[in-house]
Amino acid sequence: EIGRERVVSPLSREFQGPVEQRGELRTTAIRIMYKDIRESLGLDMLMRPKKVHPNTFQEKDGLLAHHQESGLLWQRRGAGFPLNWQQAHEYVEKLNSDGWQGRDTWRLPTTEELSTVLEPVGSAGGGSGMFYPRVHWLWSCDSCTKKQAWMADIAENFIERLAKDGTASVCAVSSQKTG
């Protein structure tokens, strides 16, 4: 639900540790404070993942790719142009109301899910080339403050915060299992 956030801190009972320490990725939006993001996602000082997930993408068609490691279905192109954070949420709502690709389970990815498409330092960019070349920054559903949300730079392979009125690409995900 847009505008509703849950605060997670490494000291809270809800905190589940770095991505590499559990099998399933969080799928719901939360607020992650800047002081907590490195520990919660296992990021280095440059906000890059310390552990890189295998990029086991299988192209479904020109518009979709299935990430076999996480089970997520990703849009490859997304909206096709940058949107602010509110517009990104509205775009995903429209995908669901239209039943895009026969699904109504589209959503913005969490920061944990975004970290699964980042590649090792020095590589060509996130997602093993599964995203369209114009996709550079990707919004997450997670916020940092009332005015900032988290995004991933899939070209440079790091997580960062961006003003919600700034623009980034939107590639929705669906965690519904695919055949």
Side-chain angles (χ1 to χ4, degrees), residues 43-109:
L43 303 176
D44 67 15
M45 294 302 288
L46 297 175
M47 306 296 274
R48 300 174 303 199
K50 291 178 184 176
K51 179 180 181 209
V52 178
H53 295 262
N55 274 331
T56 54
F57 275 105
Q58 177 184 12
E59 184 176 341
K60 291 292 196 185
D61 57 36
L63 300 175
L64 299 172
H66 180 240
H67 189 249
Q68 296 171 333
E69 180 75 12
S70 65
L72 293 173
L73 190 62
W74 286 81
Q75 283 187 308
R76 296 184 60 212
R77 178 174 160 252
F81 47 88
L83 301 171
N84 70 37
W85 200 63
Q86 180 63 39
Q87 291 168 331
H89 284 278
E90 292 167 1
Y91 169 75
V92 171
E93 288 175 9
K94 179 77 170 139
L95 290 177
N96 288 323
S97 67
D98 289 351
W100 189 74
Q101 294 288 311
R103 295 172 178 265
D104 62 0
T105 57
W106 297 105
R107 59 185 171 74
L108 290 177

Side-chain angles (χ1 to χ4, degrees), residues 125-147:
S128 298
M130 291 309 297
F131 294 102
Y132 279 50
R134 296 178 92 188
V135 174
H136 186 98
W137 291 355
L138 282 177
W139 280 119
S140 84
C141 62
D142 298 329
S143 64
C144 176
T145 67
K146 288 183 179 183
K147 294 186 178 188

